[in-house]
Amino acid sequence: PLVAEKLNVPIIAAGGITCGRTMAAAFALGAEGVQMGTRMVSAAESPVHANWKQAILDAEETDTLFLNRFGRPALRALRTAKTERLEKELTPDYAGPPVMMEFARAKDLYFGGDMEASIALSGQVAGRITSIRPVADILNDTVAEFAEVTAKLSHIYARERANA
């Protein structure tokens, strides 16, 4: 809400968006659009390897780590042996190579499926993703649920206001 109050620009919400309910919540906070990163990584048309998609499906909401919290950029990633090691190493006194060097073998993760080759970026929302679906279905269902949720909320609160 602070960004929407301070700036006169279109706001696209990202982080935690997987469905119409989360889209409605983002709009209530001032967004005009949403970006579904982890949800689209796990979509049928996503070019990432099936191992990464399956790791998202298998993940609980607690199966991500917040990396590079003392530097830039901060990253949220799926829990793997590599990311658990990085979580411990990337402290304020870390003097090794920048975390971005960990993406040197990104193709081995993205297209080869080696979950330890790079950092599999993913939000905590992975814990809510239970199937690999076509993008069109994801978008159609998201927009339909958004319309249902906003209509229901409008009806509930209009009725409560009328009864007040």
Side-chain angles (χ1 to χ4, degrees):
L2 183 61
V3 173
E5 290 170 13
K6 301 284 184 185
L7 300 175
N8 187 23
V9 297
I11 296 170
I12 308 301
I17 313 294
T18 61
C19 62
R21 285 184 300 151
T22 51
M23 181 178 170
F27 276 52
L29 294 171
E32 296 177 45
V34 295
Q35 184 252 326
M36 298 190 284
T38 303
R39 187 65 192 114
M40 291 303 157
V41 168
S42 67
E45 295 89 340
S46 171
V48 304
H49 195 277
N51 290 354
W52 190 352
K53 293 178 187 185
Q54 190 61 50
I56 290 170
L57 296 183
D58 293 342
E60 299 290 330
E61 62 277 358
T62 55
D63 287 335
T64 64
L65 300 171
F66 189 59
L67 301 176
N68 210 32
R69 68 182 72 209
F70 304 107
R72 295 274 189 281
L75 307 167
R76 172 109 10 219
L78 287 174
R79 182 182 303 276
T80 64
K82 177 189 250 339
T83 59
E84 285 181 340
R85 175 184 55 79
L86 288 169
E87 181 186 40
K88 292 175 179 69
E89 287 178 2
L90 299 172
T91 62
D93 59 341
Y94 178 71
V99 71
M100 297 310 285
M101 294 300 295
E102 297 294 336
F103 290 97
R105 293 186 48 221
K107 285 184 178 181
D108 294 336
L109 163 65
Y110 279 69
F111 308 116
D114 182 350
M115 295 299 293
E116 299 298 329
S118 189
I119 299 172
L121 299 174
S122 175
Q124 291 172 303
V125 74
R128 296 192 58 227
I129 297 170
T130 59
S131 62
I132 296 170
R133 301 179 59 220
V135 170
D137 292 351
I138 294 168
L139 295 179
N140 289 335
D141 290 352
T142 298
V143 171
E145 185 180 35
F146 171 82
E148 290 170 18
V149 167
T150 54
K152 180 180 176 183
L153 290 172
S154 176
H155 178 75
I156 289 169
Y157 293 109
R159 183 179 56 212
E160 286 184 10
R161 198 169 67 223
N163 293 334

